[in-house]
Amino acid sequence: MIKTRLQRLREKDTRRVVGAILAGKMLGIVGILGAMKVFGFLFETAAGASPVAQVAHEASDLVSPINTVWVLITAFLVFFMQAGFMALEAGFARSRETVNILMECVFDTCLCGVLYWAIGFAFQFGTGNGLIGHSNFFLHGMTPAYGTTGVAFLAFFLFQFAFADTASTITSGAMVGRTGFKGDILYSAAVSGFIYPIFGHWVWGPGGWLGNTMGWFHGLSGDAVFRDFAGSTVVHTVGGFIALAGCITLGPRLGRKFKKDGGGPTPAHDLTIGALGGVILWFGWYGFNPGSTLSAMDWVGIGRVAANTTLAACSAGMVAVLFVYPRSKKWDLGMSVNGFLGGLVAITCPCYWVSPAGALMIGAVAGVVVPLGIDFMEARRWDDPIGAVAVHGFCGIWGTLSLGLFATGQYGLPTADGADTSTVIKGLFYGGGTDQLRAQVIGSLTCVVVVFTVAMLVMKAVMAIRGPWSLRVEKDGELEGLDIFEHGTTAYHTEFGQGMTYQSPTGLFGMSRTLGRDDDADGDAPAEKAVPLEPSV
Amino acid sequence: MIKTRLQRLREKDTRRVVGAILAGKMLGIVGILGAMKVFGFLFETAAGASPVAQVAHEASDLVSPINTVWVLITAFLVFFMQAGFMALEAGFARSRETVNILMECVFDTCLCGVLYWAIGFAFQFGTGNGLIGHSNFFLHGMTPAYGTTGVAFLAFFLFQFAFADTASTITSGAMVGRTGFKGDILYSAAVSGFIYPIFGHWVWGPGGWLGNTMGWFHGLSGDAVFRDFAGSTVVHTVGGFIALAGCITLGPRLGRKFKKDGGGPTPAHDLTIGALGGVILWFGWYGFNPGSTLSAMDWVGIGRVAANTTLAACSAGMVAVLFVYPRSKKWDLGMSVNGFLGGLVAITCPCYWVSPAGALMIGAVAGVVVPLGIDFMEARRWDDPIGAVAVHGFCGIWGTLSLGLFATGQYGLPTADGADTSTVIKGLFYGGGTDQLRAQVIGSLTCVVVVFTVAMLVMKAVMAIRGPWSLRVEKDGELEGLDIFEHGTTAYHTEFGQGMTYQSPTGLFGMSRTLGRDDDADGDAPAEKAVPLEPSV
Amino acid sequence: MIKTRLQRLREKDTRRVVGAILAGKMLGIVGILGAMKVFGFLFETAAGASPVAQVAHEASDLVSPINTVWVLITAFLVFFMQAGFMALEAGFARSRETVNILMECVFDTCLCGVLYWAIGFAFQFGTGNGLIGHSNFFLHGMTPAYGTTGVAFLAFFLFQFAFADTASTITSGAMVGRTGFKGDILYSAAVSGFIYPIFGHWVWGPGGWLGNTMGWFHGLSGDAVFRDFAGSTVVHTVGGFIALAGCITLGPRLGRKFKKDGGGPTPAHDLTIGALGGVILWFGWYGFNPGSTLSAMDWVGIGRVAANTTLAACSAGMVAVLFVYPRSKKWDLGMSVNGFLGGLVAITCPCYWVSPAGALMIGAVAGVVVPLGIDFMEARRWDDPIGAVAVHGFCGIWGTLSLGLFATGQYGLPTADGADTSTVIKGLFYGGGTDQLRAQVIGSLTCVVVVFTVAMLVMKAVMAIRGPWSLRVEKDGELEGLDIFEHGTTAYHTEFGQGMTYQSPTGLFGMSRTLGRDDDADGDAPAEKAVPLEPSV
């Protein structure tokens, strides 16, 4: 190493230049180091620690702060999944529908926030009966903490809003590229405001029938009730099957050829963005699952949930890639991303109740469900551009059922004050019989049947609207590209040469048709008024 | 479903291949599941929980850890807003100025860190008089916790550094595309080291005149003093109006035609990156506002701040889109992003003191302020490529004033030990009269007048420098593109064909001129020494 | 301002349109504001705070929850560094090897998770002897908390998995563009499963020789033992020198010309993504370093670590840019990013024991080490496409040594219950003599010698395999581009025109060769079955 450097320095021209630079730099560094002696006071820093403690606290006063911090930070992570969905969906779709995807994610989030504030939260978490909640409309009647969670009411609201938003966004995945924006607003409002919160009440709401009594099915699963820790069913199966209903109702994008017709999925327009979106989702899942404890006092539980979430994702990502490798002899990036997402969806329901090894198994199976699910959609000629149905719908079912197999029988429920193991859940493989499995089948089937039916009705109804409020965009709009038609611009404009010349994907060799966004140009402003090619100052 | 699958399997060639694959896979799965019985010990996991507790703690010992964790994690989120600003600004700007934007964000962050360590923190949070702090230079004289916050001094420093960095970055937004890099260093140093910290001292510093006595204006607002919870004024109006000063001083980019001249804003070069940047900012805002409590012990408060922040963003994003829809009949992605950012800016001041419904109202108005503000800038022929002035400057003013309207009269201030409601803030709409509103007007007006004046002086002074240290880049450099001129490369190089052939946006059909970055090539290294097209091993 | 707006309104056509819009909007706003009076109940919100406290807690019960929350959230941030690495490496590499980089990061993460669960964690943190741990295989025999940390065992596992994953990913950086995917799997397994965990045991494991007794070198450094707070050596030097071994073994990419041969580094294909990746890494480092306290009870310590981390990054980023400016007269974005990353690597070892001013110094030197290190690699004709060896390898050494210079002598170790200052570390510049410096030299040298030697053996062994499992991809594959050859697709497909027409970087003016991913097409599905250009519903 030294020799090479010396040899390089011996080269004539280089030596002088590099030498001068280095000498100067080194002088500076030495000077700085020397100055440390002179300005020694800079290097002092406070020692010891004397906590501020004017106010006497009791330990119980600290439970709500700790739990609220935990729920808020995990809520932030769940919210950040929106960036993941945007990147994943946009990246895996075509460049012509990119702006549409981004806009739907942003607008649906805004819409969901307003609706969830007004009615969604009340339907889902308000007190009421087994079917629906009917208090806390417009967040009226808040208490400091929600229920017995010890978590600030509005922190709990934020966490649950982020969940509702997730369900809504999942839906759009299988409907990419041919859904009109007005149609999107209509069905999104139905999802965020009604379908998700009401089904959610059944499982998680106070007195919800699936989570408490099993209603009509009472007794069919022994004492076991349906359990879904963080929402394999409530969020992902719901989102996935609404997506399926939309996908079937819409039909495929124009020109889409399926595999059995000699075609295949459209290539991702930006795999970098798509894969980064997947990793952002994984990151956000650390809010989704561990945060669903709603309690940091159950500290062993949050550690277990976080580790199980990770291991299921790892095994699913690996298995999915290895599963498709033999057929294509290619290491499929898209499949690795959809694979680990499938593992994350699957572990979402059982994450609190299984062991790390169980999580690895659950993930591994999900890694097979994803490619088979995508094949199935392709075989049915259902055009799901990013695999949302396979990942969220099918893996959601698998994850929900897996609890009935893998629950270890050691864990009960987290509470504001720690883990409560007075009633534990035990699955088939751990000697618990089929009670829990039957409860899971009932819950999952209920979700698929009820949500899919309602979603088909909603989608068909919106589809039946004539004109621009229909679910499917006009044919001209789809041919032109949703981005231009609905949003007036394409996502990318690369400039070349000097001055203001752009190319866009739709006008590669000519001028962009969207330059200036002057749809509302008055016509009375002649071009010669343009700023001349001189700075004005 | 089953039928289709069977039918597919009946197809001759497929059946054998798929059959073999499936059989093999299923065997593997069964094998794995079987192995679970044998290696049952893998599926064990620890039950119960026995906390380590050798040391006896008192509850008061835990207040500083909890508050410090809260402040640190929110500080990390605020820092992450840099990624959001980089993506937002780069995405919404032209491809020829992308590297410049990225570099400014990175370099300004580094510069801000050093300056804030040396002087900024001392000016802002050191003890001193009503105008400026003058202790803790170079972080000399630190105590374990800052003041009575119960938060570790250096955690508090980090949080405030991230704020200073944000203000500095906002500024660059309206100056994109024609600011020389050396000029950028000069004005950034003024912002990070002086303008932001000193104005910040007035509001948040110990004894700052606006936040404590209202100084010369004492009595004009009754007992009310100026309040700015997380910085609608201190960070956003300051940043926005410095940006405006820079924007006016610089003049528009060469060739920029305004709407009334038949042109319009330049199209975003990458809306995917731009929109993702917006969502990252929203995510980071969960550090910005909730973290400004500096206390997790006020657990109801942090929940309220987080929920209010969300709801204001949601209503603002939705209103902004709906406001511009009638004129263009397009669903404007850029407006949705700038809309929710405007809502976030507006709620930043009042987030602690208003109700969720109030937050929705404040956001809704911000959703109108943003498009009107952008129109105003366009009408004035001020070239703000990403809407920074409208979003941060104008919505900052609105948010600051809104506190005087919407404060509910239920909340006082967060302290290290919880919420202090001994003195509450009540706005006009809640029967509190105009005292608080007048205090807000005084504070906001002071900011606009003082900061804008000082910023104009700074910008004009830097502009007046001749040669490369001037604020505006040389004309040749701007025509060539800032990226090439200042940074020697363009942001994108797409390779095609085999070997090492690149295209860049500035040389689409030829070789990139930046290949090799060999500006300092010695000239004595002939090309024929190149590594041959063979692996060297 | 008002005047201009009025003037604009006076223009004939505009006035009517804008007037109508504004009037309508304003009516709406007034209506909404009015409605507030009527629906006043919406604006109520909960006052006061009454924490749920049915269960009596003692303060000591809260230590594990607080520490576990801290470790989990920082673990999430460390995991998120994967997104940073993916973006950084992909952005700075060529477009032809982008999918390969993304896929390696995803797959290596999955592989690392499984291996670390099975053996890695046991080797590193299981009890055993000074050389290796041999308990907790497959996480067998977990206790609720790991050791005396008071942190949930599985939270600790997750944190350490994220570290292992980081080491593994760093390695791939210097091997970009010519490593076969199967070869990648082989060496990654060696890194994640063996090299990293075993060396990690020496420093951080229970009874590890470097961290406890200094083994054969006992006495050479007085009482001082080797210290590496968060892994300048354990993670970064290890990762960097394995990368170097791989880089040397592989040889440069085909066609790569080095600076002394008239060439230079290949241009980054997407600097936006690359720079964002750098900032994501900085964000993730706030998990890496502060989380390594494993304790939030040492609240002064976590604040200090976070601030030191920031300041080192700031000074390093600035110094690196200023160091290379004189030679190229360009403000080098890539160097600024690699510069601050070098600062972060350097401060990783000493972050707990130095002062803010010390951190600035350490960073400043790192800012010089990075460009000199990159020059050195270039001079040696070692093809490190993203500078991984300079940043992680060389700055890791500097950071490790710097502890022996800059440790202030005020700090000992964090424990589950707070800071323990019974044994403090003092460096040369603070009057502590050379004991600690000698310990650091021994540890760093051990790492370089042992890890580099083992890594060379592993790399040579994999390289020696014939056929597709070799370390270096076949020549045809490299010429075609790794993305096409190994993964069957390029990262980008820009659509143009109407219908399903794509361009990809490898087939710019023709059809993409990867359209349809139909490698396993049956051949029995004629194209005429394609969905016609009509919606099917």
Short mmCIF file of all heavy atoms in Angstrom, two decimals, chain A residues 45 57 182 323 380 410-411 430 485 487 491-492 495-496 500 502 525 530-531, chain B residues 4 25 43 45 94 96 142 256-257 260 266 271-272 310 325 330-331 417 505:
data_model
loop_
_atom_site.label_atom_id
_atom_site.label_comp_id
_atom_site.label_asym_id
_atom_site.label_seq_id
_atom_site.Cartn_x
_atom_site.Cartn_y
_atom_site.Cartn_z
N THR A 45 -17.45 18.54 29.20
CA THR A 45 -18.87 18.24 29.04
C THR A 45 -19.40 17.83 30.39
O THR A 45 -18.63 17.50 31.31
CB THR A 45 -19.09 17.18 27.97
OG1 THR A 45 -20.47 16.91 27.87
CG2 THR A 45 -18.35 15.90 28.29
N HIS A 57 -43.65 11.70 42.14
CA HIS A 57 -44.47 10.86 41.27
C HIS A 57 -44.64 9.50 41.90
O HIS A 57 -43.78 9.04 42.64
CB HIS A 57 -43.80 10.68 39.92
CG HIS A 57 -43.73 11.94 39.13
ND1 HIS A 57 -44.80 12.43 38.44
CD2 HIS A 57 -42.71 12.81 38.90
CE1 HIS A 57 -44.45 13.54 37.83
NE2 HIS A 57 -43.19 13.80 38.09
N LYS A 182 -62.77 9.90 -9.74
CA LYS A 182 -64.02 10.13 -9.02
C LYS A 182 -64.59 8.82 -8.49
O LYS A 182 -65.11 8.76 -7.37
CB LYS A 182 -65.03 10.82 -9.93
CG LYS A 182 -64.69 12.28 -10.17
CD LYS A 182 -65.52 12.88 -11.28
CE LYS A 182 -65.25 14.36 -11.42
NZ LYS A 182 -65.69 14.89 -12.74
N PHE A 323 -38.88 -20.59 -4.38
CA PHE A 323 -40.01 -21.30 -4.98
C PHE A 323 -40.15 -21.00 -6.46
O PHE A 323 -40.48 -21.87 -7.26
CB PHE A 323 -41.31 -20.92 -4.25
CG PHE A 323 -42.51 -21.70 -4.67
CD1 PHE A 323 -42.75 -22.97 -4.16
CD2 PHE A 323 -43.41 -21.18 -5.60
CE1 PHE A 323 -43.86 -23.69 -4.55
CE2 PHE A 323 -44.53 -21.90 -6.00
CZ PHE A 323 -44.75 -23.16 -5.48
N ARG A 380 -56.89 -16.77 -13.68
CA ARG A 380 -58.27 -16.33 -13.74
C ARG A 380 -58.44 -15.11 -14.63
O ARG A 380 -59.54 -14.60 -14.78
CB ARG A 380 -58.76 -15.95 -12.33
CG ARG A 380 -58.83 -17.08 -11.35
CD ARG A 380 -59.96 -18.02 -11.64
NE ARG A 380 -61.25 -17.32 -11.64
CZ ARG A 380 -62.38 -17.82 -12.09
NH1 ARG A 380 -62.40 -19.03 -12.62
NH2 ARG A 380 -63.50 -17.14 -12.05
N GLN A 410 -48.90 -20.34 25.76
CA GLN A 410 -48.24 -19.66 26.87
C GLN A 410 -48.72 -18.24 27.08
O GLN A 410 -48.42 -17.64 28.10
CB GLN A 410 -46.72 -19.62 26.61
CG GLN A 410 -46.05 -20.97 26.66
CD GLN A 410 -44.64 -20.88 26.13
OE1 GLN A 410 -44.45 -20.65 24.94
NE2 GLN A 410 -43.67 -21.06 27.00
N TYR A 411 -49.43 -17.70 26.08
CA TYR A 411 -49.73 -16.25 26.13
C TYR A 411 -51.21 -15.98 26.05
O TYR A 411 -51.96 -16.68 25.36
CB TYR A 411 -49.01 -15.54 24.99
CG TYR A 411 -47.57 -15.94 24.87
CD1 TYR A 411 -47.13 -16.69 23.78
CD2 TYR A 411 -46.66 -15.62 25.87
CE1 TYR A 411 -45.80 -17.09 23.68
CE2 TYR A 411 -45.33 -16.02 25.79
CZ TYR A 411 -44.90 -16.75 24.68
OH TYR A 411 -43.61 -17.15 24.60
N TYR A 430 -49.73 -27.63 19.22
CA TYR A 430 -49.21 -27.58 20.58
C TYR A 430 -50.17 -28.28 21.53
O TYR A 430 -50.17 -28.01 22.73
CB TYR A 430 -48.97 -26.12 21.00
CG TYR A 430 -47.76 -25.52 20.32
CD1 TYR A 430 -47.84 -25.10 19.00
CD2 TYR A 430 -46.54 -25.43 20.97
CE1 TYR A 430 -46.73 -24.57 18.36
CE2 TYR A 430 -45.43 -24.91 20.34
CZ TYR A 430 -45.54 -24.48 19.04
OH TYR A 430 -44.44 -23.97 18.41
N PHE A 485 -54.79 12.11 -18.32
CA PHE A 485 -56.22 12.32 -18.40
C PHE A 485 -56.81 12.87 -17.11
O PHE A 485 -57.61 13.81 -17.12
CB PHE A 485 -56.89 10.99 -18.77
CG PHE A 485 -58.37 11.09 -18.98
CD1 PHE A 485 -58.87 11.67 -20.14
CD2 PHE A 485 -59.26 10.61 -18.04
CE1 PHE A 485 -60.25 11.77 -20.34
CE2 PHE A 485 -60.63 10.70 -18.24
CZ PHE A 485 -61.12 11.28 -19.39
N HIS A 487 -54.94 13.81 -14.24
CA HIS A 487 -54.11 14.68 -13.41
C HIS A 487 -53.34 15.72 -14.23
O HIS A 487 -52.64 16.56 -13.66
CB HIS A 487 -53.15 13.84 -12.57
CG HIS A 487 -53.86 12.75 -11.82
ND1 HIS A 487 -54.64 13.01 -10.73
CD2 HIS A 487 -53.98 11.42 -12.06
CE1 HIS A 487 -55.18 11.86 -10.31
NE2 HIS A 487 -54.80 10.90 -11.09
N ALA A 491 -45.52 11.76 -14.67
CA ALA A 491 -44.71 11.83 -13.46
C ALA A 491 -43.30 12.34 -13.72
O ALA A 491 -42.67 12.89 -12.83
CB ALA A 491 -44.64 10.45 -12.80
N TYR A 492 -42.82 12.14 -14.93
CA TYR A 492 -41.40 12.43 -15.19
C TYR A 492 -41.24 13.41 -16.34
O TYR A 492 -41.90 13.28 -17.38
CB TYR A 492 -40.65 11.13 -15.51
CG TYR A 492 -40.88 10.08 -14.45
CD1 TYR A 492 -41.73 9.00 -14.68
CD2 TYR A 492 -40.29 10.20 -13.21
CE1 TYR A 492 -41.97 8.06 -13.69
CE2 TYR A 492 -40.53 9.27 -12.21
CZ TYR A 492 -41.37 8.20 -12.45
OH TYR A 492 -41.61 7.29 -11.48
N GLU A 495 -35.28 17.06 -18.68
CA GLU A 495 -34.90 18.20 -19.48
C GLU A 495 -33.66 17.87 -20.27
O GLU A 495 -32.80 17.13 -19.80
CB GLU A 495 -34.59 19.31 -18.49
CG GLU A 495 -34.75 20.66 -19.00
CD GLU A 495 -34.19 21.60 -17.96
OE1 GLU A 495 -33.40 21.14 -17.11
OE2 GLU A 495 -34.53 22.76 -18.01
N PHE A 496 -33.55 18.40 -21.45
CA PHE A 496 -32.27 18.23 -22.14
C PHE A 496 -31.92 19.53 -22.83
O PHE A 496 -32.76 20.40 -23.03
CB PHE A 496 -32.28 17.06 -23.11
CG PHE A 496 -33.30 17.16 -24.20
CD1 PHE A 496 -32.97 17.71 -25.42
CD2 PHE A 496 -34.59 16.70 -24.00
CE1 PHE A 496 -33.91 17.79 -26.43
CE2 PHE A 496 -35.54 16.78 -25.00
CZ PHE A 496 -35.19 17.32 -26.22
N MET A 500 -35.56 25.79 -21.64
CA MET A 500 -36.70 25.13 -21.04
C MET A 500 -37.29 24.07 -21.96
O MET A 500 -38.42 24.21 -22.43
CB MET A 500 -37.77 26.15 -20.71
CG MET A 500 -37.29 27.27 -19.82
SD MET A 500 -37.07 26.72 -18.14
CE MET A 500 -38.78 26.64 -17.66
N TYR A 502 -38.33 20.10 -22.47
CA TYR A 502 -38.57 18.89 -21.70
C TYR A 502 -38.94 17.74 -22.60
O TYR A 502 -39.50 17.93 -23.68
CB TYR A 502 -39.71 19.09 -20.71
CG TYR A 502 -39.36 20.05 -19.65
CD1 TYR A 502 -39.62 21.40 -19.81
CD2 TYR A 502 -38.75 19.61 -18.49
CE1 TYR A 502 -39.26 22.29 -18.83
CE2 TYR A 502 -38.41 20.51 -17.51
CZ TYR A 502 -38.65 21.85 -17.69
OH TYR A 502 -38.31 22.73 -16.73
N ALA A 525 -52.44 36.43 -22.83
CA ALA A 525 -51.07 36.75 -22.42
C ALA A 525 -50.11 36.25 -23.50
O ALA A 525 -49.77 35.09 -23.53
CB ALA A 525 -50.75 36.09 -21.09
N ALA A 530 -42.51 36.78 -22.24
CA ALA A 530 -41.70 35.88 -21.43
C ALA A 530 -40.45 36.57 -20.90
O ALA A 530 -39.91 37.48 -21.51
CB ALA A 530 -41.28 34.67 -22.26
N VAL A 531 -40.02 36.10 -19.72
CA VAL A 531 -38.79 36.63 -19.15
C VAL A 531 -37.66 36.35 -20.13
O VAL A 531 -37.49 35.23 -20.59
CB VAL A 531 -38.49 35.93 -17.80
CG1 VAL A 531 -37.13 36.33 -17.30
CG2 VAL A 531 -39.56 36.25 -16.80
N THR B 4 -61.20 -23.77 -12.34
CA THR B 4 -60.22 -23.19 -13.25
C THR B 4 -58.85 -23.78 -13.03
O THR B 4 -58.11 -24.08 -13.96
CB THR B 4 -60.13 -21.68 -13.01
OG1 THR B 4 -61.44 -21.17 -12.99
CG2 THR B 4 -59.32 -21.01 -14.09
N LYS B 25 -42.48 -29.27 -3.70
CA LYS B 25 -42.63 -28.24 -2.68
C LYS B 25 -43.44 -28.76 -1.50
O LYS B 25 -43.10 -28.53 -0.34
CB LYS B 25 -43.35 -27.01 -3.26
CG LYS B 25 -42.65 -26.36 -4.42
CD LYS B 25 -41.36 -25.70 -4.02
CE LYS B 25 -40.59 -25.27 -5.25
NZ LYS B 25 -39.21 -24.92 -4.96
N PHE B 43 -39.59 -24.92 19.38
CA PHE B 43 -40.82 -24.14 19.43
C PHE B 43 -41.15 -23.64 20.83
O PHE B 43 -42.14 -23.00 21.06
CB PHE B 43 -41.97 -24.97 18.86
CG PHE B 43 -41.70 -25.30 17.42
CD1 PHE B 43 -40.97 -26.40 17.07
CD2 PHE B 43 -42.13 -24.43 16.44
CE1 PHE B 43 -40.69 -26.67 15.74
CE2 PHE B 43 -41.85 -24.69 15.11
CZ PHE B 43 -41.14 -25.82 14.76
N THR B 45 -40.55 -21.26 23.98
CA THR B 45 -40.13 -19.86 24.13
C THR B 45 -40.40 -19.47 25.57
O THR B 45 -41.14 -20.15 26.29
CB THR B 45 -40.88 -18.96 23.14
OG1 THR B 45 -40.43 -17.63 23.31
CG2 THR B 45 -42.36 -19.02 23.32
N ARG B 94 -36.43 21.02 -11.69
CA ARG B 94 -36.04 20.46 -12.98
C ARG B 94 -34.86 19.52 -12.83
O ARG B 94 -34.08 19.64 -11.88
CB ARG B 94 -35.66 21.61 -13.92
CG ARG B 94 -36.79 22.58 -14.17
CD ARG B 94 -36.33 23.75 -15.01
NE ARG B 94 -35.26 24.49 -14.33
CZ ARG B 94 -34.60 25.52 -14.88
NH1 ARG B 94 -34.88 25.91 -16.12
NH2 ARG B 94 -33.66 26.14 -14.20
N ARG B 96 -32.14 19.49 -14.26
CA ARG B 96 -30.84 20.14 -14.38
C ARG B 96 -30.37 20.76 -13.07
O ARG B 96 -29.22 21.18 -12.99
CB ARG B 96 -30.92 21.24 -15.43
CG ARG B 96 -31.97 22.29 -15.11
CD ARG B 96 -31.75 23.55 -15.92
NE ARG B 96 -31.57 23.24 -17.32
CZ ARG B 96 -31.03 24.08 -18.21
NH1 ARG B 96 -30.61 25.26 -17.79
NH2 ARG B 96 -30.92 23.75 -19.46
N MET B 142 -22.58 23.01 30.06
CA MET B 142 -23.80 22.19 30.04
C MET B 142 -24.14 21.66 31.42
O MET B 142 -23.26 21.32 32.21
CB MET B 142 -23.58 20.95 29.16
CG MET B 142 -23.66 21.23 27.69
SD MET B 142 -23.71 19.66 26.81
CE MET B 142 -22.03 19.11 26.98
N ARG B 256 -37.85 31.50 -17.54
CA ARG B 256 -39.10 31.21 -16.81
C ARG B 256 -40.18 32.16 -17.29
O ARG B 256 -40.04 33.38 -17.18
CB ARG B 256 -38.85 31.40 -15.32
CG ARG B 256 -40.08 31.35 -14.45
CD ARG B 256 -40.55 29.94 -14.24
NE ARG B 256 -41.32 29.83 -13.00
CZ ARG B 256 -42.66 30.04 -12.93
NH1 ARG B 256 -43.34 30.31 -14.01
NH2 ARG B 256 -43.27 29.94 -11.77
N LYS B 257 -41.26 31.62 -17.86
CA LYS B 257 -42.40 32.42 -18.27
C LYS B 257 -43.50 32.25 -17.24
O LYS B 257 -43.84 31.13 -16.85
CB LYS B 257 -42.94 31.95 -19.62
CG LYS B 257 -42.19 32.53 -20.80
CD LYS B 257 -43.04 32.55 -22.06
CE LYS B 257 -43.57 31.20 -22.47
NZ LYS B 257 -44.12 31.24 -23.84
N LYS B 260 -49.25 34.79 -16.46
CA LYS B 260 -49.86 35.91 -17.18
C LYS B 260 -49.10 36.22 -18.48
O LYS B 260 -49.57 37.00 -19.29
CB LYS B 260 -49.95 37.14 -16.28
CG LYS B 260 -48.64 37.61 -15.72
CD LYS B 260 -48.77 38.97 -15.02
CE LYS B 260 -49.58 38.90 -13.74
NZ LYS B 260 -49.35 40.09 -12.88
N THR B 266 -42.65 25.46 -13.99
CA THR B 266 -41.98 24.38 -14.72
C THR B 266 -42.46 23.04 -14.17
O THR B 266 -42.71 22.91 -12.97
CB THR B 266 -40.45 24.47 -14.53
OG1 THR B 266 -40.17 24.46 -13.13
CG2 THR B 266 -39.91 25.74 -15.13
N LEU B 271 -42.26 13.34 -10.11
CA LEU B 271 -43.34 13.49 -9.13
C LEU B 271 -43.35 12.35 -8.12
O LEU B 271 -43.85 12.52 -7.00
CB LEU B 271 -44.69 13.55 -9.85
CG LEU B 271 -45.08 14.94 -10.36
CD1 LEU B 271 -46.29 14.85 -11.28
CD2 LEU B 271 -45.38 15.88 -9.20
N THR B 272 -42.84 11.19 -8.48
CA THR B 272 -42.77 10.09 -7.51
C THR B 272 -41.90 10.50 -6.33
O THR B 272 -42.32 10.40 -5.17
CB THR B 272 -42.20 8.83 -8.17
OG1 THR B 272 -42.94 8.56 -9.36
CG2 THR B 272 -42.27 7.64 -7.25
N THR B 310 -52.44 15.52 12.42
CA THR B 310 -52.95 14.67 11.36
C THR B 310 -54.20 15.24 10.70
O THR B 310 -54.31 15.28 9.48
CB THR B 310 -53.30 13.28 11.94
OG1 THR B 310 -52.17 12.80 12.66
CG2 THR B 310 -53.67 12.32 10.85
N TYR B 325 -59.63 22.10 -8.38
CA TYR B 325 -60.24 21.23 -9.39
C TYR B 325 -61.13 21.98 -10.38
O TYR B 325 -61.02 21.76 -11.59
CB TYR B 325 -61.03 20.09 -8.72
CG TYR B 325 -61.66 19.15 -9.70
CD1 TYR B 325 -60.88 18.19 -10.35
CD2 TYR B 325 -63.00 19.24 -10.04
CE1 TYR B 325 -61.44 17.34 -11.29
CE2 TYR B 325 -63.57 18.40 -10.98
CZ TYR B 325 -62.79 17.45 -11.60
OH TYR B 325 -63.34 16.63 -12.54
N LYS B 330 -58.58 18.99 -13.31
CA LYS B 330 -57.59 17.94 -13.06
C LYS B 330 -57.39 17.80 -11.56
O LYS B 330 -57.49 18.79 -10.82
CB LYS B 330 -56.25 18.30 -13.73
CG LYS B 330 -56.31 18.48 -15.24
CD LYS B 330 -56.60 17.18 -15.96
CE LYS B 330 -56.71 17.40 -17.46
NZ LYS B 330 -57.28 16.26 -18.17
N TRP B 331 -57.07 16.60 -11.13
CA TRP B 331 -56.77 16.32 -9.73
C TRP B 331 -55.27 16.52 -9.56
O TRP B 331 -54.48 15.68 -9.97
CB TRP B 331 -57.20 14.90 -9.37
CG TRP B 331 -58.64 14.66 -9.69
CD1 TRP B 331 -59.15 14.13 -10.84
CD2 TRP B 331 -59.77 14.99 -8.87
NE1 TRP B 331 -60.52 14.10 -10.78
CE2 TRP B 331 -60.92 14.61 -9.58
CE3 TRP B 331 -59.91 15.56 -7.59
CZ2 TRP B 331 -62.22 14.79 -9.06
CZ3 TRP B 331 -61.18 15.74 -7.07
CH2 TRP B 331 -62.31 15.36 -7.81
N ASP B 417 -43.33 17.39 34.25
CA ASP B 417 -44.08 16.49 35.12
C ASP B 417 -45.52 16.27 34.69
O ASP B 417 -46.26 15.56 35.35
CB ASP B 417 -44.04 17.03 36.54
CG ASP B 417 -42.63 17.04 37.09
OD1 ASP B 417 -42.06 15.95 37.21
OD2 ASP B 417 -42.09 18.13 37.35
N PRO B 505 -29.11 13.40 -19.14
CA PRO B 505 -30.13 14.30 -19.68
C PRO B 505 -29.54 15.44 -20.52
O PRO B 505 -30.20 15.99 -21.38
CB PRO B 505 -30.81 14.84 -18.42
CG PRO B 505 -30.60 13.78 -17.43
CD PRO B 505 -29.24 13.21 -17.72
#
